[in-house]
């Protein structure tokens, strides 16, 4: 603290009190000369002032003592800096941030409303397909309509799972796929035909923008296994879903221990059916390749991203 004038005891006490005040504070004598000021005042004191011909300005005043030895008391140097534009820019920035937050909230509300409408629309479409399937007499047409309904419900299931993680850029893979597999098991497996769906997923995250594609691929492959891999129940039917990562690469495998295809049969060609076309298209979106391996002991489909060299094998 800086002291000016008679340093008697009472004055020292008064100066100590001034120093204890947390706000910028100074004392002037009857001649408007500075008697004392606390440290906060000396660091920077900001105030507004109406300036002629300019208008209201925000000024920052700093004080420094100047003691050149020959004076009976040190002098005080006051410096004023116009920070009006800086404070105005800060206020505009804060207003912009608040407006941005408001827009983000509005966007979130609109996105939730859109998701709700999409879910309702998917349910309506699925119901219409089910009614059409019940009305047609052709077994082939009924099967196609049921397949279409199942795919619509799969999209709805994936969309619903992602709705629970709305606003998250990275999604935990294991819980996401586990919930998806549990839902598939409940909706597609009959009590009289138990099939186990096992998940082995590394502790990793998945960009939310890729989650829909991954979820739809898993759904398509698992449903295909449930419908075709186990024509005869043995009580040991099992589908394995595996997801592994290495750096930025990943590998998804869906394998069954079911009928598979004999090595003497015609090899499976990717893209030979609607399901395969869907998987190929989704894999292309993910910059991934599709690999299929099959034998009389089961079949596995691998979706591998970029440089991940998978050891693709059958379910045997």
């Amino acid at each position: 603290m800086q002291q000016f004038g008679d340093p008697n005891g009472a004055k020292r006490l008064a100066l100590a009190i001034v120093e204890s005040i947390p706000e910028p504070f100074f004392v002037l004598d009857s001649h408007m000369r500075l008697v004392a000021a606390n440290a906060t005042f000396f660091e920077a004191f900001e105030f507004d002032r109406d300036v002629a011909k300019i208008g209201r300005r925000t000024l920052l005043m700093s004080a420094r003592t100047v003691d050149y030895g020959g004076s009976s008391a040190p002098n005080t140097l006051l410096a004023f800096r116009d920070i009006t534009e800086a404070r105005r820019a800060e206020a505009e920035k804060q207003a912009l941030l608040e407006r941005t937050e408001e827009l983000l909230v509005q966007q979130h509300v609109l996105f939730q409303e859109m998701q709700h409408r999409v879910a309702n629309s998917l349910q309506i479409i699925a119901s219409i397909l089910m009614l059409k399937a019940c009305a047609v007499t052709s077994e082939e047409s009924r099967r196609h309509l049921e397949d279409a309904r199942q795919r619509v419900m799969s999209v709805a299931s994936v969309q619903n799972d992602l709705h629970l993680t709305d606003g998250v850029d990275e999604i935990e893979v294991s819980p996401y796929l586990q919930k998806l597999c549990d839902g598939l098991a409940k909706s597609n497996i009959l009590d009289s035909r138990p099939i186990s769906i096992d998940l082995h997923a590394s502790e990793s995250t998945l960009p939310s923008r890729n989650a829909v594609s991954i979820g739809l691929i898993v759904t398509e492959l698992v449903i295909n296994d449930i419908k075709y891999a186990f024509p005869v129940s043995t009580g040991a039917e099992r589908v394995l879903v595996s997801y592994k990562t290495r750096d930025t690469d990943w590998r998804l495998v869906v394998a069954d221990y079911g009928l598979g295809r004999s090595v003497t049969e015609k090899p499976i060609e990717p893209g030979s059916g609607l399901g395969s076309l869907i998987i190929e298209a989704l894999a292309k979106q993910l910059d991934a390749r599709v690999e299929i391996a099959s034998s009389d002991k089961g079949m596995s489909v691998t979706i591998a991203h970029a440089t991940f060299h998978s050891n693709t094998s059958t379910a045997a």
Side-chain angles (χ1 to χ4, degrees):
M1 177 172 62
Q2 309 302 323
Q3 302 182 17
F4 308 93
D6 183 20
N8 55 50
K11 191 171 184 177
R12 284 197 299 270
L13 176 60
L15 293 175
I17 295 174
V18 170
E19 182 62 34
S20 67
I21 299 174
E23 291 81 12
F25 194 88
F26 62 94
V27 179
L28 302 176
D29 63 13
S30 59
H31 299 287
M32 300 302 293
R33 293 178 299 189
L34 185 65
V35 176
N38 60 7
T40 306
F41 170 81
F42 273 82
E43 292 173 358
F45 178 64
E46 184 176 323
F47 61 97
D48 293 332
R49 182 83 174 185
D50 290 323
V51 180
K53 298 181 180 180
I54 298 179
R56 195 163 186 82
R57 312 298 292 178
T58 300
L59 302 176
L60 185 68
M61 181 174 68
S62 298
R64 293 292 183 272
T65 58
V66 180
D67 188 356
Y68 46 88
S71 175
S72 59
N75 293 322
T76 302
L77 177 64
L78 299 179
F80 295 86
R81 183 158 60 96
D82 189 341
I83 58 172
T84 305
E85 298 305 323
R87 291 293 181 262
R88 184 175 298 164
E90 291 175 1
E92 291 176 353
K93 180 180 178 181
Q94 182 61 33
L96 180 60
L97 288 174
E98 293 175 358
R99 178 57 178 164
T100 301
E101 292 178 359
E102 180 182 347
L103 290 174
L104 288 175
V105 171
Q106 294 177 1
Q107 183 186 49
H108 180 73
V109 172
L110 291 173
F111 184 69
Q112 286 186 319
E113 177 64 19
M114 182 190 70
Q115 286 187 313
H116 180 68
R117 291 178 181 272
V118 168
N120 287 342
S121 298
L122 290 173
Q123 292 291 340
I124 292 172
I125 293 171
S127 298
I128 293 173
L129 290 172
M130 182 178 65
L131 292 174
K132 291 293 184 182
C134 294
V136 298
T137 57
S138 169
E139 184 62 32
E140 182 179 1
S141 298
R142 182 181 295 108
R143 186 173 65 253
H144 289 320
L145 288 169
E146 179 57 35
D147 285 344
R149 175 184 174 275
Q150 184 62 65
R151 287 188 170 93
V152 170
M153 293 302 295
S154 299
V155 173
S157 176
V158 172
Q159 189 267 349
N160 181 66
D161 289 340
L162 289 178
H163 174 68
L164 301 177
T165 57
D166 179 31
V168 180
D169 293 332
E170 295 287 330
I171 296 174
E172 293 289 338
V173 174
S174 183
Y176 170 62
L177 292 182
Q178 187 64 63
K179 183 176 294 184
L180 187 62
C181 290
D182 291 344
L184 289 170
K186 291 178 181 178
S187 61
N188 293 280
I189 299 175
L190 301 176
D191 293 336
S192 60
R193 190 166 169 262
I195 299 174
S196 173
I197 302 179
D198 298 332
L199 172 67
H200 296 164
S202 58
E203 294 296 326
S204 58
T205 58
L206 175 70
S208 58
R209 63 181 180 275
N210 295 340
V212 172
S213 297
I214 292 290
L216 290 176
I217 288 174
V218 170
T219 299
E220 187 68 37
L221 291 174
V222 169
I223 290 177
N224 186 72
D225 284 342
I226 292 173
K227 292 173 64 175
Y228 303 114
F230 311 105
V232 179
S233 178
T234 64
E237 291 84 355
R238 184 162 71 96
V239 174
L240 174 64
V241 178
S242 171
Y243 184 90
K244 296 182 179 180
T245 60
R246 186 180 63 199
D247 297 328
T248 59
D249 296 332
W250 53 266
R251 182 187 67 190
L252 171 69
V253 180
V254 178
D256 65 72
Y257 291 76
L259 180 64
R261 294 176 69 90
S262 170
V263 293
T264 60
E265 292 183 85
K266 182 180 178 180
I268 297 176
E269 294 294 336
S272 58
L274 177 58
S276 297
L277 290 174
I278 293 173
I279 293 171
E280 289 283 354
L282 293 172
K284 186 176 181 180
Q285 289 180 358
L286 296 167
D287 189 25
R289 64 181 184 275
V290 181
E291 300 173 2
I292 300 175
S294 181
S295 71
D296 57 354
K297 296 182 180 180
M299 185 176 75
S300 67
V301 179
T302 299
I303 314 295
H305 171 67
T307 60
F308 201 122
H309 300 292
S310 60
N311 295 320
T312 307
S313 61
T314 66

